[in-house]
Amino acid sequence: MEQLLGMNFDEVSLQFSKISMYPLFDAAHYIVSVMALKEQPGAVDVARRSPFACWISAMIYCFGGAVLSGLFLAEPALLPFSNTSNIVLASIIWYLVFYFPMDLVYKFTAFLPLRLVLASMKEVTRTWKVVGGVAHARARYEEGWLVMIAVGWAKGAGGGLMSNFEQLVRGVWKPETNELLKMSYPVKVTLVGSVLFTLQQSQYLPLAKHQLMFMYTMFLVINKIRMMITHSTTSVFAPFEAVLYSLLFQWQTGVQGPSGAPKKGIKGRKESPNGSTDTNGNISESVEEKANGTTVPRNGYRKKTD
Amino acid sequence: MEQLLGMNFDEVSLQFSKISMYPLFDAAHYIVSVMALKEQPGAVDVARRSPFACWISAMIYCFGGAVLSGLFLAEPALLPFSNTSNIVLASIIWYLVFYFPMDLVYKFTAFLPLRLVLASMKEVTRTWKVVGGVAHARARYEEGWLVMIAVGWAKGAGGGLMSNFEQLVRGVWKPETNELLKMSYPVKVTLVGSVLFTLQQSQYLPLAKHQLMFMYTMFLVINKIRMMITHSTTSVFAPFEAVLYSLLFQWQTGVQGPSGAPKKGIKGRKESPNGSTDTNGNISESVEEKANGTTVPRNGYRKKTD
Amino acid sequence: MEQLLGMNFDEVSLQFSKISMYPLFDAAHYIVSVMALKEQPGAVDVARRSPFACWISAMIYCFGGAVLSGLFLAEPALLPFSNTSNIVLASIIWYLVFYFPMDLVYKFTAFLPLRLVLASMKEVTRTWKVVGGVAHARARYEEGWLVMIAVGWAKGAGGGLMSNFEQLVRGVWKPETNELLKMSYPVKVTLVGSVLFTLQQSQYLPLAKHQLMFMYTMFLVINKIRMMITHSTTSVFAPFEAVLYSLLFQWQTGVQGPSGAPKKGIKGRKESPNGSTDTNGNISESVEEKANGTTVPRNGYRKKTD
């Protein structure tokens, strides 16, 4: 982007870093999050059976990062719920997306061009959250770079990291998958961002904060749009990961890496041509299983089916 | 009650609001809670195999509200355990109810007239806890009415809200049910109470605190006695819920509400002729599954049935 | 030990109590913990598929006590991660144990004489943690002896107590077992230690802190070595437990105790001749199930296999 913006880059990025998230960008974050919830298998059924559990789930999608970083730093887990205007905004959006007659709101926001705009705006909020988390942790643990990374990560990708427990609210329990075992793209890119901002704050990067914010956000937005348009689930990090993996974990014994198919057990993501992928990049478990033609239980043991 | 008590209502309710919970009412709460634990399927077996896990479970039943609201507000989760006299009282009651020779204590307290008295006294402690939780949250977040509701709710119905994790202590895991998906009566009435006291504290109700405490407690007690005598599980809120549900979530598409049978997925309570319903209103999963003609285990794998 | 050391006991134990844990003893703790993780079924597979989840698991094994006691006392759960040098040391050890070419590091440390030394050193850190936890809790709740016991216990045996959630990170979920239902030896001995140090700090024991530290550590080390050499899983507490159990929970009805085989449900440890036991004393679940000749799924329902 530096070439494009020429000598004004510093000024542009400084102005950019002063954008207020509330209400427009926050609203976009809530819309995209609630839509992602609605696209989870079973979520519409839960919304009909138990609007309350559905609302709690939606709040975890929208405010999970704040709740999780609160737990990490022993700050009240309910702190985000003291911000009434944000909660009301998210609740109205939840209501409209789930219950509007004929599903018009969902259909409207799911219209690709609009969705691209909303998803891009949501990515902008991610930058702000990561930066906020890293700065907040740094104020308490100046030398604790691991704490800074973890809090920035939790703030930016809290909903994903808490997904097991968010699902539990809806009566779904999938212990064999979690975002640590198999990171989805948003969780991964947030971790990378958190590392970058921690390095920046500790002055290991030759960049000002607003410059890094601008560049990281551009990367997020462009990459998100590319993935949505091409329906690609290939992470841009895949080559780096593969190199890193072979350097760190593979040179010893030549075992199959995470991007290769392990001999047994959980299958790699890319090898599954039939796997449907939701907007969060999570492969629908049931579809993946059905694609095998036989019923493979979740815990990986093949039961006798004939 | 106002008519009954005439002009003395204010004075009576004021005196009532000054009752001390410790030790009598607290003891009643512990007795009823530990009895409820003992009546859980498998609890007696756990008590025999692992008295320690059973004791932890009993403590969660008795002090779960304080633990949960502690987590919500980033106060020590172990704070209730620093109150030695309450813990000792609850532990003695746990021991007597579970291990007294020939089960005499349990049989004695389960004697209906006595149980009615104890259950009524337990309901009184619920009011005190909700009021305490709301006031405590209000002291920290004056404008955070959602935090006030949540903390009052957690304090008053903590054991129920934590039931999934309380069961985990006893080696039971039922992810498909939780108190958010399908609220039991105590959890529901505590939520209503927490909303009322939050409104009262924010001066939206034309009532003094002690008046509302008196009226809410009367409602709790009378309703509890009615339910215990008639063995009824019909919530007094059912009509209101139905109206609210149709107003909010049903007018759009005419979908079947929570009191109607959804087209697929988990079946509604009343329409399920084969579903056995326990006193908490939870449909026994296995029975429901058998009703489908084939046996589908909970975790979604179809077992061989032929 | 008093006889052996004669009149110098007080002096020796005082010097002993001044030993610094970092780096040598801490390193031994990390090595033994990471080796225990590596010996968990499926852990090596997770290490290959998802080094990140494996690292998180290893950190829970190494620092779980600090995280758990943080949650108990509303102190930042991430606090141990602000101690960079310890985290780096543990991470290097994790890397070497899991990924060193030809598994040489693991094989080296698993060499019995060396393992005995390392395990003994790890037991020393346990004393230090229990003492630290009890003292820390006492500083905040002088009269809360239950809080002191719980925090000392959590600090000393946190990884074990959190094992359900540590397993969840690796995609394993065994709700039917936990350390409260069936305490392993390390969890049990830590609880005993925590009770002893709480008594000592409350001046109910005629011993100085450094004397109790020395004696408790000697007990831990000698007992650990005995168990490792004889491959024994018989707890030294078994006779005391049996007596205590019959005194407290058995005299009423003559039910089968925890050391006897319950009629159904989870089997007692000692009766399982085929159960393989890992270094933490946990019976491998799968082995235990296979020993029945038929496949019994985790949730306790017997599937049709013919």
Side-chain angles (χ1 to χ4, degrees), chain A:
Chain A
M1 298 308 295
E2 257 171 303
Q3 297 89 328
L4 288 173
L5 295 162
M7 58 197 298
N8 285 324
F9 170 67
D10 192 60
E11 206 178 301
V12 168
S13 62
L14 191 62
Q15 290 305 314
F16 174 76
S17 75
K18 289 176 181 164
I19 295 176
S20 166
M21 287 299 107
Y22 183 82
L24 281 185
F25 286 85
D26 278 343
H29 166 57
Y30 303 148
I31 293 173
V32 174
S33 299
V34 172
M35 286 171 71
L37 170 60
K38 189 163 184 176
E39 285 154 6
Q40 294 293 310
V44 172
D45 192 50
V46 168
R48 209 182 49 219
R49 279 191 293 124
S50 172
F52 189 80
C54 180
W55 179 77
I56 298 271
S57 261
M59 292 304 106
I60 297 177
Y61 262 79
C62 293
F63 301 99
V67 170
L68 192 62
S69 68
L71 284 177
F72 279 2
L73 291 177
E75 288 164 0
L78 285 185
L79 197 60
F81 292 88
S82 67
N83 191 340
T84 307
S85 56
N86 280 61
I87 293 283
V88 168
L89 180 59
S91 301
I92 290 172
I93 285 167
W94 161 78
Y95 184 74
L96 292 177
V97 167
F98 267 96
Y99 300 105
F100 201 82
M102 301 175 64
D103 221 8
L104 282 180
V105 168
Y106 175 78
K107 281 175 186 157
F108 180 64
T109 51
F111 177 57
L112 188 62
L114 183 57
R115 190 161 194 167
L116 285 176
V117 172
L118 292 171
S120 305
M121 288 170 80
K122 181 199 158 92
E123 294 304 305
V124 176
T125 68
R126 192 186 301 281
T127 306
W128 262 243
K129 282 182 204 148
V130 172
V131 171
V134 170
H136 183 60
R138 183 174 154 78
R140 292 183 55 177
Y141 302 101
E142 190 148 344
E143 295 304 308
W145 49 270
L146 245 154
V147 178
M148 290 158 73
I149 292 173
V151 174
W153 191 30
K155 264 237 163 87
L161 289 170
M162 290 175 75
S163 59
N164 283 55
F165 294 95
E166 180 275 322
Q167 290 169 345
L168 185 57
V169 170
R170 292 186 278 119
V172 174
W173 184 246
K174 295 182 180 170
E176 72 289 346
T177 60
N178 66 56
E179 286 286 350
L180 299 172
L181 266 181
K182 193 87 175 171
M183 275 191 225
S184 62
Y185 166 76
V187 170
K188 211 176 266 172
V189 82
T190 310
L191 179 57
V192 170
S194 195
V195 170
L196 286 177
F197 282 103
T198 299
L199 290 174
Q200 193 278 324
Q201 297 260 310
S202 310
Q203 328 238 287
Y204 287 113
L205 287 190
L207 281 169
K209 192 174 87 172
H210 58 91
Q211 291 172 333
L212 182 59
M213 282 173 76
F214 188 75
M215 287 162 66
Y216 178 63
T217 309
M218 285 301 118
F219 173 79
L220 285 179
V221 169
I222 291 169
N223 208 35
K224 183 78 191 174
I225 291 176
R226 180 188 66 75
M227 285 171 73
M228 285 177 74
I229 290 181
T230 61
H231 294 287
S232 158
T233 58
T234 323
S235 167
V236 285
F237 302 119
F240 303 99
E241 277 174 53
V243 169
L244 203 68
Y245 186 90
S246 5
L247 280 177
L248 288 174
F249 305 114
Q250 215 167 13
W251 59 277
Q252 302 92 336
T253 51
V255 289
Q256 285 274 35
S259 48
K263 284 154 221 159
K264 55 186 175 180
I266 297 174
K267 277 176 297 185
R269 186 178 296 175
K270 288 164 200 158
E271 280 67 40
S272 169
N274 316 50
S276 77
T277 310
D278 67 24
T279 48
N280 272 338
N282 302 316
I283 294 176
S284 152
E285 192 71 18
S286 56
V287 172
E288 192 181 24
E289 283 167 11
K290 272 178 216 138
N292 295 323
T294 54
T295 314
V296 183
R298 280 212 299 259
N299 45 14
Y301 309 133
R302 192 172 290 266
K303 267 185 243 140
K304 205 183 150 196
T305 49
D306 53 324

Side-chain angles (χ1 to χ4, degrees), chain C residues 74-92:
Chain C
E75 289 164 359
L78 285 185
L79 198 59
F81 292 87
S82 67
N83 191 339
T84 306
S85 56
N86 280 61
I87 293 282
V88 168
L89 180 59
S91 300
I92 291 171

